[in-house]
């Protein structure tokens, strides 16, 4: 009985092996897999296969406007421009310039009206510099059945920040409040989201921070509170690349 069972097992094994070896291999094509996963035939999906907007060895230029976010007693608006060269898809060198316009805000007017005093104020006038720009992130946004491609970049470099302040007169109420020009070397940090409208036109939304060392008011002829400070700006720009 045991011998018969072993013969039957061997026979079944031989038959299965023959069927397996004799059966042709079935290779599922990519389209078949796509059709299998396609559960909703009423919708279309657009897949980002390759990078559409190449940047390597291209030149770009941007013009924009924005707001200064660091002054307590000033409403600050700005005009910003930059031009750069993309060394590779991720790295670029960029030269930038920013011009500022300042106006006394409501906080300063209320302080003068209620207390009759004027605080220490430093106004930004202009800023220029050179930065290295790194763009590690690239993607797309599907909005209203239209695909927009974007980059997210970071920049770091050196610049010159030109300001004016009332440091020399603010500590002496008997003196007229006057502003003197100043200039400081700054470390520039920048981040920007760039949205590509076409191959050559793009829009940018970014933040720029200048970090610099500067004194506070002058008391008895001696500058006080000489420390690192920062100036943060937001901006919206329109740019071209070629």
């Amino acid at each position: 009985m045991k011998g018969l069972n072993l013969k039957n097992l061997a026979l079944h094994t031989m038959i299965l092996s023959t069927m397996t070896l004799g059966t042709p291999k079935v290779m599922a094509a990519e389209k078949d897999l796509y059709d299998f996963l396609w559960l909703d035939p009423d919708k279309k999906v657009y897949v980002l296969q390759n990078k559409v907007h190449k940047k390597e060895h291209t030149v770009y230029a941007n013009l924009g406007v924005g707001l200064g976010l660091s002054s307590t007693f000033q409403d600050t608006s700005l005009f910003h421009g930059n031009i750069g060269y993309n060394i590779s898809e991720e790295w670029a060198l960029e030269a930038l310039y920013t011009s500022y316009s300042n106006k006394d805000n409501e906080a300063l007017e209320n302080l003068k009206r209620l207390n009759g005093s004027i605080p220490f104020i430093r106004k930004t006038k202009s800023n220029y510099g050179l930065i290295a720009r790194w763009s590690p992130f690239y993607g797309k946004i599907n909005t209203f059945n239209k695909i927009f491609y974007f980059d997210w970049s970071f920049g770091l470099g050196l610049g010159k920040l030109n300001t004016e302040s009332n440091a020399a007169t603010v500590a002496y109420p008997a003196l007229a409040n006057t502003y003197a020009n100043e200039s400081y070397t700054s470390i520039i940090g920048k981040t920007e989201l760039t949205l590509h409208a076409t191959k050559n036109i793009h829009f940018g939304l970014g933040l720029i921070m200048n970090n610099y060392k500067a004194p506070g008011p002058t008391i008895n002829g001696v500058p006080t509170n000489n420390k690192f400070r920062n100036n943060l700006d937001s901006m919206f720009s329109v740019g071209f690349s070629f």
Side-chain angles (χ1 to χ4, degrees):
M1 194 71 177
K2 291 183 178 180
L4 182 59
N5 290 338
L6 290 175
K7 288 182 179 180
N8 291 338
L9 179 60
L11 180 61
H12 285 302
T13 302
M14 185 179 299
I15 294 172
L16 290 174
S17 299
T18 303
M19 293 177 62
T20 302
L21 293 173
T23 303
K25 293 183 180 180
V26 178
M27 300 296 291
E30 183 178 355
K31 185 177 184 301
D32 295 332
L33 179 62
Y34 183 78
D35 289 339
F36 176 75
L37 295 176
W38 191 252
L39 301 180
D40 189 350
D42 295 329
K43 294 184 178 180
K44 294 182 179 179
V45 175
Y46 299 88
V47 180
L48 178 63
Q49 297 290 348
N50 298 311
K51 198 167 188 179
V52 175
H53 301 285
K54 300 288 187 179
K55 299 195 298 292
E56 186 174 11
H57 303 316
T58 60
V59 176
Y60 63 89
N62 301 299
L63 293 175
V65 294
L67 297 173
L69 305 177
S70 297
S71 181
T72 304
F73 299 106
Q74 297 290 301
D75 287 333
T76 303
S77 58
L78 61 90
F79 174 80
H80 177 82
N82 61 59
I83 185 169
Y85 175 71
N86 289 300
I87 302 171
S88 67
E89 288 298 320
E90 293 187 349
W91 289 97
L93 286 177
E94 177 178 305
L96 55 84
Y97 177 81
T98 308
S99 178
Y100 299 86
S101 177
N102 298 280
K103 181 182 178 181
D104 293 348
N105 63 14
E106 186 179 4
L108 179 58
E109 295 298 331
N110 288 336
L111 187 64
K112 292 192 294 185
R113 186 182 303 112
L114 297 175
N115 298 333
S117 61
I118 297 176
F120 170 66
I121 298 173
R122 175 168 282 119
K123 303 177 183 179
T124 50
K125 297 177 63 178
S126 64
N127 171 233
Y128 58 89
L130 183 67
I131 66 171
R133 179 170 171 169
W134 180 43
S135 305
F137 301 111
Y138 176 81
K140 68 173 183 177
I141 301 174
N142 191 345
T143 305
F144 302 112
N145 292 325
K146 176 71 174 178
I147 295 178
F148 296 96
Y149 299 88
F150 67 88
D151 294 291
W152 186 12
S153 63
F154 304 88
L156 185 66
L158 292 176
K160 184 68 70 173
L161 184 68
N162 298 311
T163 66
E164 62 179 13
S165 78
N166 59 353
T169 60
V170 68
Y172 306 96
L175 298 178
N177 185 53
T178 58
Y179 292 86
N181 292 329
E182 305 167 332
S183 184
Y184 303 100
T185 298
S186 67
I187 299 174
I188 302 175
K190 178 182 179 181
T191 182
E192 185 173 19
L193 184 68
T194 302
L195 188 68
H196 299 275
T198 67
K199 181 179 179 180
N200 302 108
I201 301 174
H202 54 265
F203 300 96
L205 186 64
L207 295 172
I208 299 179
M209 177 177 285
N210 280 272
N211 300 277
Y212 63 100
K213 190 174 184 179
T218 299
I219 300 176
N220 296 326
V222 180
T224 62
N225 298 325
N226 190 28
K227 63 180 183 179
F228 280 98
R229 307 173 189 273
N230 59 71
N231 187 75
L232 180 64
D233 305 316
S234 64
M235 64 171 188
F236 172 78
S237 63
V238 179
F240 307 87
S241 60
F242 48 91

